[in-house]
Amino acid sequence: MAEDLIVTRGLVIPASELRERFSRSSGPGGQHVNTTDSRVELSFDLANSPSVPESLRTRMLDRLATRLVDGVLTIAASGQRAQLQNRAAARDRLASLLRDAAAAPPPDRRATKPSRGAKERRIAAKKRRGITKRNRRASSDD
């Protein structure tokens, strides 16, 4: 499965920049789990990667700061019994994480004010509610 990781149309991580490490999984598998290395740790050195443009790299490093250790992003997958499925899951999660980190920031919010009609409708609704509550009270005439 040594193929490039496609994050977005403009960002493709070469397979040579990804490091996979395998170990015994603590997940499902019965007796099988003690004999196979099905857990996958996928690592990507984001800080030193030549395939990530500099403008994207700073944004991604800021957004993923809590997940990085010395600029390296590591994903662990051990949910499946088969190593191949865990490898695919780790690659999918890494691509998703990088895609979210590379996304353009949302546009700045433009402050607006409620329209005059909206203010009038709000006040009218409050008055109607007040009248309803006032009508529920016991009158002092009784």
Side-chain angles (χ1 to χ4, degrees):
M1 194 185 275
E3 55 188 52
D4 297 346
L5 182 68
I6 300 170
V7 178
T8 62
R9 265 187 268 147
L11 180 60
V12 177
I13 308 297
S16 60
E17 292 186 30
L18 299 173
R19 284 191 310 277
E20 289 179 323
R21 212 176 111 225
F22 305 102
S23 61
R24 297 226 168 99
S25 176
S26 63
Q31 294 173 340
H32 174 73
V33 79
N34 298 325
T35 59
T36 58
D37 294 337
S38 60
R39 181 175 189 263
V40 178
E41 280 188 20
L42 185 63
S43 298
F44 172 59
D45 190 357
L46 179 61
N48 300 316
S49 173
S51 59
V52 179
E54 192 59 41
S55 58
L56 266 182
R57 184 189 335 268
T58 54
R59 181 187 311 158
M60 292 170 86
L61 286 171
D62 285 344
R63 290 186 178 172
L64 295 172
T66 58
R67 296 208 49 161
L68 298 175
V69 177
D70 297 329
V72 177
L73 178 63
T74 303
I75 301 289
S78 62
Q80 305 296 323
R81 286 180 63 168
Q83 186 187 90
L84 235 101
Q85 290 173 325
N86 283 333
R87 289 173 83 181
R91 290 174 66 88
D92 289 345
R93 285 187 14 219
L94 179 65
S96 174
L97 213 66
L98 293 175
R99 193 176 304 115
D100 291 345
D108 290 338
R109 180 186 175 277
R110 288 174 30 192
T112 58
K113 293 180 181 177
S115 66
R116 182 175 163 195
K119 287 180 188 176
E120 289 173 357
R121 285 190 298 275
R122 183 180 66 86
I123 299 298
K126 287 170 71 83
K127 286 192 184 301
R128 278 194 308 273
R129 185 73 178 145
I131 291 169
T132 302
K133 289 185 170 192
R134 195 176 324 122
N135 290 338
R136 288 186 194 147
R137 290 188 205 142
S139 62
S140 58
D141 299 343
D142 296 340

